[in-house]
Amino acid sequence: MTATDAEPTGARARQTYYWRVRNARTRHRPESSAHRWHIQPGHPGGAYSDLGHELEPPAHHAPTLLSRSRPKPRGHEQQFRGGCLTCAWEGPVYPGSGHGDGDNSAIEDAHDHAFPGWRELPPITRARDRRQTQRNLTRWTQLTSQYPLGWVDQGAPILVWSRHRREPHLPPHRGSPRYELRVDRPPTHRDKRATDQDSLF
Ligand SMILES: [Zn+2]
């Protein structure tokens, strides 16, 4: 392998290298491109994302999701890790099936990198408020007034209570340039339901 063929690190560099492999610009088989780390389609900087594809990195850290497929004796294993569109930071690797399994943890790591302390942001607690809060200026101002200065403009996430276990996080898009992170309800809100369930058994 020549120096120029070495797999680089960092989300942007990996995405470029993935396309070089896929477009037969390297000595590797194009069919093997899925085994290279690349930005998960639909996530910032990745294929199918309508967030925008500016060539210049943003001035602040910007979370995204990397994925690859690894060959296994039987079939293959999907792996995920968090990435950043601004620097070469990459998070630990999580195997998982996606749809909230593996990808959620990687996305959360990327937010720890870009927005440390994001878990303390106020969550939207009702499912029907998810969209309305972003459309209603009063509600939006009320919610984001509790965000650290500058975070909203930098694409800090909105937090919503999950509707079910491992509800997948939603990537940003042009109409909503921030991740929607589905977080667990605090235990106090689950205690009653758990008790009700227990009484059935
Ligand atoms: Zn970064």
Side-chain angles (χ1 to χ4, degrees):
M1 184 184 289
T2 63
T4 52
D5 257 8
E7 189 167 353
T9 54
R12 283 175 178 263
R14 286 199 189 274
Q15 181 74 351
T16 302
Y17 187 73
Y18 162 80
W19 281 107
R20 288 190 64 226
V21 173
R22 193 162 163 178
N23 291 340
R25 312 284 190 212
T26 72
R27 66 178 182 81
H28 303 290
R29 289 182 303 113
E31 303 79 43
S32 71
S33 59
H35 300 161
R36 311 284 164 182
W37 285 111
H38 57 280
I39 297 175
Q40 174 78 351
H43 289 256
Y48 300 103
S49 173
D50 66 354
L51 185 64
H53 283 87
E54 286 77 13
L55 291 174
E56 283 295 313
H60 48 81
H61 297 290
T64 190
L65 176 65
L66 293 165
S67 73
R68 72 175 175 182
S69 145
R70 300 300 285 168
K72 298 273 279 186
R74 288 185 180 184
H76 65 275
E77 176 186 81
Q78 195 71 18
Q79 296 180 339
F80 301 94
R81 72 194 311 180
C84 178
L85 289 179
T86 306
C87 73
W89 174 88
E90 294 177 339
V93 176
Y94 300 93
S97 59
H99 309 288
D101 176 26
D103 50 350
N104 269 14
S105 298
I107 292 168
E108 288 163 20
D109 287 346
H111 282 81
D112 287 336
H113 166 74
F115 302 104
W118 64 267
R119 288 179 172 81
E120 305 304 317
L121 294 174
I124 295 170
T125 57
R126 294 188 302 183
R128 65 172 178 272
D129 286 346
R130 290 180 176 189
R131 284 190 167 203
Q132 286 183 2
T133 301
Q134 295 185 74
R135 290 175 178 165
N136 183 308
L137 186 60
T138 308
R139 284 193 190 187
W140 181 245
T141 306
Q142 198 173 26
L143 182 79
T144 56
S145 66
Q146 299 172 68
Y147 278 49
L149 195 65
W151 272 28
V152 174
D153 291 338
Q154 292 174 15
I158 54 171
L159 274 53
V160 302
W161 279 359
S162 300
R163 285 179 288 203
H164 55 82
R165 187 169 165 269
R166 278 191 192 154
E167 186 180 6
H169 299 322
L170 198 66
H173 53 88
R174 184 58 86 187
S176 180
R178 61 196 72 254
Y179 273 90
E180 182 177 300
L181 302 179
R182 281 76 188 264
V183 298
D184 290 338
R185 294 169 184 230
T188 47
H189 294 272
R190 285 193 301 215
D191 285 346
K192 188 170 185 307
R193 187 187 291 178
T195 308
D196 291 344
Q197 292 274 328
D198 288 342
S199 65
L200 296 173
F201 300 98

